[in-house]
Amino acid sequence: DNLLNQNEMRLNIGCGGQIWPNWENIDLYLEKPGIIKMDARKLEYPDNSVDELKNEVRGRIRITAIK
């Protein structure tokens, strides 16, 4: 989907350096502009605040609430 709504919250978890425009690109091990260094098991986002999620993390992440 190339027509992303700028107001929607999208998380690219475990991005591995693949920075997607208009997404929150998250990786635990990379320190690079455009990447939020954060543990995917301890995401710091309010409940029901995420519209879309892409997960490239090996293992499992428990998602309890997505809009």
Side-chain angles (χ1 to χ4, degrees), residues 1 5-6 18 21 23-24 27 34 42-43 45 47 50 52:
D1 181 39
N5 182 337
Q6 298 289 328
Q18 296 182 1
W23 286 65
E24 296 280 318
D27 199 287
K42 301 174 184 173
L43 296 175
Y45 293 90
D47 290 347
V50 176
E52 191 171 344

Side-chain angles (χ1 to χ4, degrees), residues 12-31:
N12 178 12
I13 300 174
C15 67
Q18 296 182 1
I19 299 172
W20 293 6
N22 302 317
W23 286 65
E24 296 280 318
N25 298 286
I26 299 168
D27 199 287
L28 178 59
Y29 302 107
L30 293 177
E31 291 190 38

